[in-house]
Amino acid sequence: MNVSDAIDSRMSCRAFLPTPVPEATVRAILDGARRAPSGGNVQPWRVYAITGTVLADFLARVRARLPANPRGEGSEYEIYPAGLGEPYRSRRSKCAEDMYATIQVPREDKMARLLHFARNFEFFGAPVALFFCIDRQLGPPQWSDVGMYMQSVMLLAREHGLHTCAQEAWSMWYRTVGEFLELPPELMLFAGMALGHRDEQAPINRLRTDRAPLEEFATLRGF
Ligand SMILES: Cc1cc2nc3c(=O)[nH]c(=O)nc-3n(C[C@H](O)[C@H](O)[C@H](O)COP(=O)(O)O)c2cc1C
């Protein structure tokens, strides 16, 4: 697989098979992604990977707390700015509409949407859960470095025949994640990520999201 194929075939997988992923594969992916660049080479990423009974225990803990906290525990950062403006607002809602269309859930069916959203908190059935954290003393440039590490993980996963879904949704459970992983106080959870084998039969995985054309965001001069 070349880089273009890895980039093009990466998608947010929201239904996984339970097939386990060997530790060696997870290590190879997390290790390979170390070559991601970071400003000043500060390498601000911290990652935790859990699977098997550890993941089952974690999910059981979240499940037990869901009824009392249907909207999670709040979040340590704003996932989107309040009053998200255009064109971002429209892109975001189009993406959600396209996703729910794959599973034939109309806008009015709030319960079905909620139930699908709750699948985030099962890692969409993935056998491996990753959590990406950053030291609180670091700022926006280092958050972008963590993003580069995450993209490297997602592309290397493709090379291993695996799929991923990055999940900011986990920031809504930052207390439980922090307690379970015994995160030191200086670490802040950015996002989770599901990792595993894609369920090829699942309609939700048929979503191919839009992208704005190059002309909309790139300016080239002097060529
Ligand atoms: C940092 C980050 C966090 C995300 N969080 C979630 C999430 O919590 N739940 C989810 O279903 N998708 C999540 N996504 C997936 C995006 O919705 C997805 O990347 C976008 O719609 C483009 O689709 P594609 O990944 O299939 O190309 C996240 C993506 C990124 C990069």
Side-chain angles (χ1 to χ4, degrees), residues 7-8 10-14 77 79-80 91-92 95-96 99 116-117 120-121 124 147 150-151 154 164-172 190-192 207-211:
I7 289 175
D8 194 56
R10 186 215 55 79
M11 45 75 74
S12 293
C13 176
R14 296 188 178 92
Y77 66 91
I79 297 183
Y80 300 101
R91 287 179 186 164
R92 185 182 171 203
C95 166
M99 184 181 76
H116 170 76
F117 183 71
N120 267 290
F121 306 118
F124 302 111
M150 290 172 68
Q151 170 75 337
M154 293 192 274
T164 51
C165 185
Q167 294 181 271
E168 281 158 345
W170 278 110
S171 67
M172 296 165 59
F190 168 39
L207 176 65
R208 173 84 177 168
T209 47
D210 293 339
R211 290 296 186 274

Side-chain angles (χ1 to χ4, degrees), residues 107-155:
R107 185 187 288 267
E108 313 75 68
D109 197 346
K110 297 271 182 277
M111 183 47 84
R113 289 190 171 207
L114 208 64
L115 284 175
H116 170 76
F117 183 71
R119 293 278 295 148
N120 267 290
F121 306 118
E122 294 162 3
F123 283 97
F124 302 111
V128 177
L130 304 175
F131 294 98
F132 298 86
C133 302
I134 185 161
D135 194 308
R136 293 172 193 280
Q137 68 179 292
L138 301 173
Q142 291 78 42
W143 281 62
S144 96
D145 297 337
V146 174
M148 292 193 221
Y149 180 79
M150 290 172 68
Q151 170 75 337
S152 302
V153 166
M154 293 192 274
L155 298 183

Side-chain angles (χ1 to χ4, degrees), residues 44-139:
W45 41 81
R46 288 295 311 270
V47 58
Y48 292 76
I50 60 175
T51 192
T53 54
V54 182
L55 175 57
D57 288 350
F58 170 71
L59 293 180
R61 196 177 296 189
V62 173
R63 219 174 294 127
R65 293 176 180 183
L66 252 172
N69 307 276
R71 294 182 180 280
E73 303 165 327
S75 185
E76 286 196 282
Y77 66 91
E78 271 192 325
I79 297 183
Y80 300 101
L84 186 67
E86 293 299 343
Y88 315 109
R89 188 189 165 87
S90 299
R91 287 179 186 164
R92 185 182 171 203
S93 75
K94 168 87 167 46
C95 166
E97 289 315 312
D98 290 350
M99 184 181 76
Y100 288 117
T102 66
I103 48 174
Q104 280 149 26
V105 171
R107 185 187 288 267
E108 313 75 68
D109 197 346
K110 297 271 182 277
M111 183 47 84
R113 289 190 171 207
L114 208 64
L115 284 175
H116 170 76
F117 183 71
R119 293 278 295 148
N120 267 290
F121 306 118
E122 294 162 3
F123 283 97
F124 302 111
V128 177
L130 304 175
F131 294 98
F132 298 86
C133 302
I134 185 161
D135 194 308
R136 293 172 193 280
Q137 68 179 292
L138 301 173

